[in-house]
Amino acid sequence: MGIQFRTETFRDDFTFRNSPEHIRRFPFPFHEDSYMYAVNIEPHVPGPKGSVLENLIDVDEHYVSEMADRALVLAEDPLRCQSLPHMTLAGWDLLELLMTEQAKGYPEHFTLTRDGDNWHWINRPLGIDQKFVFGDLSTLPYGPMEYITRQSQGDFCILDQRDGNLWMDAGIVTTQADWSLDFDIGMNFFEWHAPVPLAHEKGVFTRALKFLLNIQQGQPARRLNWTMTINPRLDTSPENFHKWGPDRTTVTPENVGQKVHLRVELQSFWRLPRSNAMVFPIRCYLIKMDELATSKKWARRLHRVLRDLPEELATYKGLTRYRPTVVEWLAKHDDGAPTSSGFGPD
Amino acid sequence: MSAGTTKLDVTVADVVPVNELVTRFHFRPTNGGHLPTFSGGAHVVVEMREHEGATPRLNPYSLMSSPLNTAEYTISVRRDDVGRGGSLFMHRQVKPGDRMVISYPVNLFSLDLRAKKHLMIAGGIGITPFMAQTAQLASSSGNFELHYACRTASLFTYGDVLAERYGKRIHLYHDDRGEKIELARLLASQPLGTHLYICGPAPMIDWVRNTAAASGWPSETVHYEHFSAPKPGLPFDVTLAVSDKKIRVGEQQSLLEAIEAAGVDPPYLCRGGVCGQCETNVISSDGKFLHNDHWLSEEEHRSGKKIMPCVSRFEGRSLVLER
């Protein structure tokens, strides 16, 4: 029967919400009652049925509406999608990866047929039926990276590997937590992570880079990152700060449950076969505080994590202004009981 | 063994003698279908077992088939009569129809796709990664030029194949005819944006790198592949402190293989002293290190605090490792 795709918005009237089934599969990022940076990377292998990890590229009920929101962002600002000239081969690699994984995980929605270089792609939710020649740019309406990432949830950064470093040389970024591809394009791993506090001192990036450089074909890895967003807005970019920045002043004790969202990024890391580049899909999941509080464990734990978060991290994540209001709201859901270890709801 | 990359089950489809020293092996997936796509310059680690259940010997070989062909992989193995026996095993024992295990492809010698031109220098069996890279570049109208030196015409592995495929872009040099790559002139005449790639014997790599450095080539534009096969040597004893084991490294065994035979699995990728994965701390030693890797710095070699067990050995009374 497949996924029931929701029709909803991530701007203006903000009709986004999660169905009860989707609340239960939310990738809650805290395995204990406190949070600090760590190199929390693990192998990206399929997880339990019904979780966001069931398939290595996850498609969910927000797919159709997220793709519509991406198209709006790109129409306003084409620089959200860029690929330096040497990255076209990596774009074909990514197209193969996403078509293959989506067709494998969701055969009722996507079909890929390959006859040598003659490929036939059917995307039923978006009503696309495309025959093209793999490797031939003239047979697709966009470049290969843009073509497939207009049909895939999450942002995608493609990194060239050379000189013992990774270089942000291509990507599509429309659902980001306040960073800009246009600003970071061409930077290396240390350059684009320069603003992150505390982690450099802990040597986190040196170790993370060493790990990433050695990720091999057939062995992808993943990690979770998180922040918070006011209103379910996917596009919280620096370019549009004037649109979403003021939202942060609108949080009141009465509207926390509907307005404040935990924003979790499932980042995965893949070696691409033809180009030897890497792709980092950054998939954003949003959940309202009202939805999150339907799990007693999650509400208790998030209360403790937010309350005890070091000030530098709260500042970096942009939480300073509304953190006290949210902590106060969550405190009402924290009876002081112990929380079980691990990520899942009770 | 969990320590390396994902494994592939393959069947030997063909064994083709190329000349008196080199034999080519064709691998197809045992369960049908296609092998993973790879990029030119990638290698696979081949597991060689003398018999069912024996501890495997693992050697890296560059993939030389076209990356566009995923129906099969091919490697070319040069027979080394004084080596540890890996190449002799491949030459003498591997037959069509044999089932083998190889690793997923790993590329430590990747093309820099920003290059306006790819200038390749090969010596001897160092030609193999360039076979795949030239096929990849030719299919995408890439600009490349290959200079390839060998001892004699009869040992010029794939020299004729390359010349036929790519014509003027291939330059062959026979040592026995006194033909030499005019390197200084070659390097001086390259267009801006050229990248240089070298694969061959260690003295050739040093010569080209030094000449390029002296001519002002930025190090970011000079790429080389420097696998050294593990060398045989005198047996030696090692204590693995973390796992609390004492092991003996045999004459034809590498230290890494001996550690694995004892049931300890350090990470690895290249097994040729370049990737850095199996770097191991030395807790104490009384004797002499025989460092054969290209990963540790000279200073680290002298310090006696680290060893790369895939290719390096030891002679002396005692060696205690943090494994």
Side-chain angles (χ1 to χ4, degrees):
Chain A
M1 76 162 250
I3 304 165
Q4 300 299 307
F5 297 106
R6 292 177 46 77
T7 302
E8 59 194 355
T9 56
F10 303 89
R11 57 180 70 206
D12 304 326
D13 56 348
F14 295 112
T15 59
F16 164 89
R17 66 176 177 78
N18 289 294
S19 67
E21 300 73 46
H22 267 63
I23 293 174
R24 278 194 294 280
R25 80 198 285 277
F26 186 79
F28 189 72
F30 307 109
H31 68 281
E32 58 184 10
D33 286 355
S34 63
Y35 173 78
M36 191 54 201
Y37 285 121
V39 184
N40 55 337
I41 303 180
E42 61 179 356
H44 190 36
V45 292
K49 203 168 158 41
S51 75
V52 300
L53 300 175
E54 179 179 351
N55 293 299
L56 295 184
I57 296 292
D58 180 45
V59 176
D60 69 14
E61 64 181 3
H62 308 297
Y63 174 74
V64 172
S65 296
E66 283 190 25
M67 293 303 96
D69 194 71
R70 164 159 291 162
L72 291 175
V73 175
L74 290 170
E76 285 172 10
D77 185 359
L79 292 178
R80 302 302 190 84
C81 177
Q82 299 192 40
S83 176
L84 298 183
H86 61 283
M87 299 302 280
T88 305
L89 186 61
W92 288 109
D93 276 331
L94 180 61
L95 176 136
E96 177 185 44
L97 172 71
L98 293 175
M99 286 187 178
T100 307
E101 290 295 325
Q102 295 190 130
K104 189 170 76 184
Y106 308 90
E108 66 277 41
H109 299 305
F110 306 96
T111 305
L112 176 65
T113 316
R114 299 166 62 156
D115 172 18
D117 287 337
N118 294 305
W119 292 28
H120 184 192
W121 168 245
I122 302 172
N123 176 337
R124 293 180 195 87
L126 297 184
I128 293 169
D129 185 317
Q130 178 82 43
K131 291 185 171 133
F132 63 100
V133 178
F134 187 86
D136 183 346
L137 290 170
S138 69
T139 59
L140 284 177
Y142 303 99
M145 176 188 75
E146 180 169 359
Y147 179 76
I148 194 56
T149 56
R150 280 176 175 266
Q151 304 176 47
S152 305
Q153 287 172 276
D155 288 341
F156 295 85
C157 303
I158 310 187
L159 313 173
D160 196 20
Q161 178 165 335
R162 54 177 198 268
D163 311 332
N165 212 324
L166 294 170
W167 305 79
M168 178 98 59
D169 286 351
I172 185 163
V173 177
T174 68
T175 68
Q176 68 283 60
D178 199 10
W179 71 279
S180 162
L181 175 72
D182 189 39
F183 188 75
D184 285 0
I185 191 104
M187 288 190 185
N188 72 34
F189 190 77
F190 295 114
E191 290 168 339
W192 85 69
H193 280 121
V196 182
L198 302 181
H200 291 276
E201 292 80 349
K202 294 167 80 85
V204 166
F205 290 121
T206 310
R207 274 179 290 144
L209 176 63
K210 192 172 170 185
F211 178 87
L212 293 170
L213 290 174
N214 282 310
I215 285 182
Q216 298 306 327
Q217 254 176 276
Q219 293 191 310
R222 66 172 172 242
R223 70 180 284 259
L224 292 176
N225 195 12
W226 70 278
T227 185
M228 302 192 86
T229 301
I230 305 310
N231 293 326
R233 193 188 290 275
L234 286 173
D235 176 27
T236 51
S237 57
E239 289 89 344
N240 278 338
F241 183 80
H242 60 285
K243 293 185 188 163
W244 59 269
D247 289 355
R248 301 191 293 184
T249 64
T250 63
V251 179
T252 65
E254 293 71 38
N255 66 19
V256 166
Q258 283 298 308
K259 225 180 210 321
V260 178
H261 293 72
L262 179 61
R263 180 186 193 107
V264 171
E265 289 177 355
L266 171 61
Q267 307 177 347
S268 55
F269 314 106
W270 308 67
R271 175 72 56 196
L272 295 174
R274 292 169 187 77
S275 56
N276 203 41
M278 301 209 65
V279 64
F280 293 5
I282 305 169
R283 173 68 183 277
C284 168
Y285 295 90
L286 293 167
I287 190 169
K288 294 176 196 301
M289 288 300 106
D290 275 347
E291 293 171 345
L292 183 129
T294 59
S295 159
K296 289 187 166 43
K297 172 183 166 181
W298 285 353
R300 278 200 296 267
R301 179 163 289 167
L302 182 60
H303 170 242
R304 297 166 197 183
V305 167
L306 270 189
R307 181 190 63 198
D308 303 336
L309 192 69
E311 195 56 43
E312 302 95 313
L313 289 185
T315 307
Y316 174 66
K317 289 177 184 290
L319 317 181
T320 313
R321 188 136 200 162
Y322 53 84
R323 176 159 73 148
T325 314
V326 179
V327 169
E328 199 179 311
W329 188 90
L330 284 167
K332 291 183 221 143
H333 295 270
D334 187 352
D335 54 10
T339 54
S340 58
S341 69
F343 301 98
D346 292 316
Chain B
M1 230 167 290
S2 59
T5 62
T6 316
K7 306 295 183 197
L8 298 167
D9 291 312
V10 294
T11 299
V12 179
D14 207 354
V15 176
V16 183
V18 179
N19 54 41
E20 60 177 284
L21 286 180
V22 175
T23 298
R24 183 172 71 238
F25 300 85
H26 295 241
F27 300 122
R28 288 176 178 263
T30 298
N31 299 324
H34 286 261
L35 290 160
T37 307
F38 67 97
S39 49
H43 72 268
V44 293
V45 173
V46 177
E47 299 189 4
M48 305 170 210
R49 288 172 205 269
E50 298 285 344
H51 53 85
E52 193 82 24
T55 309
R57 176 179 286 145
L58 291 85
N59 275 5
Y61 293 104
S62 294
L63 291 173
M64 56 159 287
S65 39
S66 166
L68 308 178
N69 176 11
T70 53
E72 65 174 23
Y73 288 165
T74 63
I75 62 171
S76 285
V77 179
R78 183 186 190 279
R79 198 181 74 231
D80 180 358
D81 293 321
V82 296
R84 303 177 317 131
S87 65
L88 289 175
F89 175 88
M90 291 299 293
H91 276 247
R92 289 175 185 164
Q93 304 211 26
V94 175
K95 302 280 182 296
D98 286 359
R99 292 178 61 165
M100 298 186 81
V101 174
I102 64 175
S103 72
Y104 252 67
V106 171
N107 199 340
L108 302 172
F109 187 49
S110 190
L111 292 170
D112 191 323
L113 296 175
R114 295 172 309 160
K116 306 290 183 216
K117 175 180 173 183
H118 304 270
L119 177 65
M120 302 164 172
I121 313 272
I125 195 65
I127 192 62
T128 52
F130 294 128
M131 297 294 290
Q133 290 183 335
T134 50
Q136 179 178 338
L137 289 169
S139 73
S140 57
S141 323
N143 182 9
F144 68 89
E145 181 178 314
L146 171 72
H147 296 259
Y148 176 20
C150 234
R151 292 204 323 251
T152 66
S154 63
L155 290 176
F156 230 119
T157 314
Y158 306 121
D160 51 348
V161 176
L162 286 162
E164 190 177 319
R165 276 186 200 163
Y166 307 121
K168 301 193 294 206
R169 294 197 263 187
I170 306 297
H171 303 256
L172 305 179
Y173 303 82
H174 299 76
D175 291 352
D176 64 343
R177 297 179 196 164
E179 297 164 1
K180 290 251 180 325
I181 302 176
E182 288 188 59
L183 190 59
R185 202 175 73 181
L186 182 65
L187 294 183
S189 62
Q190 295 306 314
L192 205 63
T194 302
H195 279 243
L196 177 61
Y197 305 83
I198 318 146
C199 187
M204 175 187 233
I205 293 177
D206 293 343
W207 171 57
V208 179
R209 286 181 65 203
N210 292 336
T211 310
S215 331
W217 283 60
S219 62
E220 294 82 5
T221 62
V222 180
H223 314 271
Y224 53 97
E225 174 104 291
H226 212 169
F227 283 162
S228 25
K231 291 187 173 67
L234 297 173
F236 59 103
D237 295 314
V238 182
T239 302
L240 306 178
V242 178
S243 41
D244 192 23
K245 289 183 173 164
K246 288 188 190 305
I247 59 169
R248 163 152 281 219
V249 183
E251 200 176 326
Q252 300 296 336
Q253 208 177 18
S254 73
L255 171 53
L256 179 58
E257 286 164 356
I259 293 173
E260 288 167 343
V264 179
D265 283 343
Y268 70 81
L269 283 177
C270 76
R271 302 184 83 91
V274 298
C275 76
Q277 285 286 294
C278 68
E279 180 180 309
T280 298
N281 290 325
V282 175
I283 293 173
S284 68
S285 66
D286 180 6
K288 185 173 113 191
F289 288 93
L290 305 170
H291 290 294
N292 295 314
D293 66 278
H294 304 280
W295 172 255
L296 299 173
S297 64
E298 277 181 41
E299 196 180 322
E300 285 169 319
H301 280 163
R302 280 194 304 270
S303 75
K305 299 283 185 216
K306 287 184 187 296
I307 186 168
M308 303 305 294
C310 60
V311 290
S312 297
R313 303 183 72 88
F314 183 79
E315 285 175 0
R317 278 175 291 281
S318 78
L319 176 62
V320 183
L321 298 179
E322 192 184 345
R323 281 289 176 204

